[in-house]
Amino acid sequence: MNGRNESVEERLDRNWNELMQELRVMQTGAQILAAFLVVLPFQSGFTRLQHPERIFYLGLLVFSALLIVLLVTPVAVHRHLFGQRVKVTTVHMGHIISKVVVLGVGVLVAGCVWFVVQVLYGWVLGSIIGGVVMAAVVFLLVLLPRIIKPTSSVPVLPTDTEQ
């Protein structure tokens, strides 16, 4: 029992709407980081980057572009399947993609932090700070959701034997 008086279709619509809102939140952050990466080569200091730094930058840039496309994928699938009464499929696919995107955004954030710190202060400090951020990403986005004990928001009504 989910505590709601809604049909299967209403539940799927609510789940889809919640999923889309979550993806919008992630998309904003991913797009801001991608915009940051896109303008970097046009800055005067970019020419001082060594080959390994440019390779890592290129990886971040491509990863951010693919992440944005992945964020839009549920909408494209929904548009393609619209009206075919397969909302269960689109909600399930969107759920799986959103789990991948959550981790992808975390990796992108940690990668950008590593890149900036590494350019400013060198490989050692970049690796330390980037590693700490990546550890925080893994804890907050992978482990914490799994160790939280869920509690119902629906109050439990006393039964006749408890009164």
Side-chain angles (χ1 to χ4, degrees):
M1 181 92 181
N2 67 4
R4 295 178 187 257
N5 187 19
E6 58 188 3
S7 68
V8 171
E9 290 82 12
E10 289 170 330
R11 181 178 48 83
L12 287 170
D13 287 342
R14 179 178 50 80
N15 288 346
W16 179 255
N17 289 333
E18 290 175 3
L19 183 65
M20 288 296 102
Q21 185 58 33
E22 292 167 0
L23 289 172
R24 282 184 200 101
V25 169
M26 290 186 283
Q27 187 173 15
T28 301
Q31 286 176 326
I32 289 170
L33 282 175
F36 158 74
L37 291 169
V38 166
V39 300
L40 272 182
F42 303 103
Q43 305 302 311
S44 61
F46 192 81
T47 58
R48 292 188 300 247
L49 293 181
Q50 302 298 314
H51 183 71
E53 295 164 331
R54 287 175 183 243
I55 295 296
F56 191 80
Y57 162 79
L58 184 60
L60 284 174
L61 180 65
V62 170
F63 185 73
S64 70
L66 292 174
L67 193 60
I68 289 170
V69 171
L70 187 60
L71 276 159
V72 178
T73 299
V75 175
V77 170
H78 181 262
R79 286 291 91 210
H80 177 71
L81 298 176
F82 185 78
Q84 296 182 28
R85 299 189 173 272
V86 290
K87 178 92 34 124
V88 170
T89 301
T90 57
V91 170
H92 179 70
M93 178 272 321
H95 170 70
I96 291 169
I97 287 176
S98 71
K99 289 168 67 172
V100 172
V101 167
V102 165
L103 190 57
V105 168
V107 169
L108 180 62
V109 168
C112 286
V113 168
W114 176 87
F115 180 73
V116 170
V117 174
Q118 188 279 135
V119 168
L120 293 175
Y121 299 104
W123 286 87
V124 173
L125 193 57
S127 297
I128 292 169
I129 293 175
V132 168
V133 172
M134 184 58 79
V137 163
V138 169
F139 176 75
L140 294 172
L141 303 180
V142 177
L143 299 176
L144 184 63
R146 285 163 178 74
I147 61 176
I148 291 175
K149 301 289 185 222
T151 57
S152 176
S153 61
V154 178
V156 177
L157 299 175
T159 62
D160 290 337
T161 59
E162 294 175 351
Q163 293 180 350

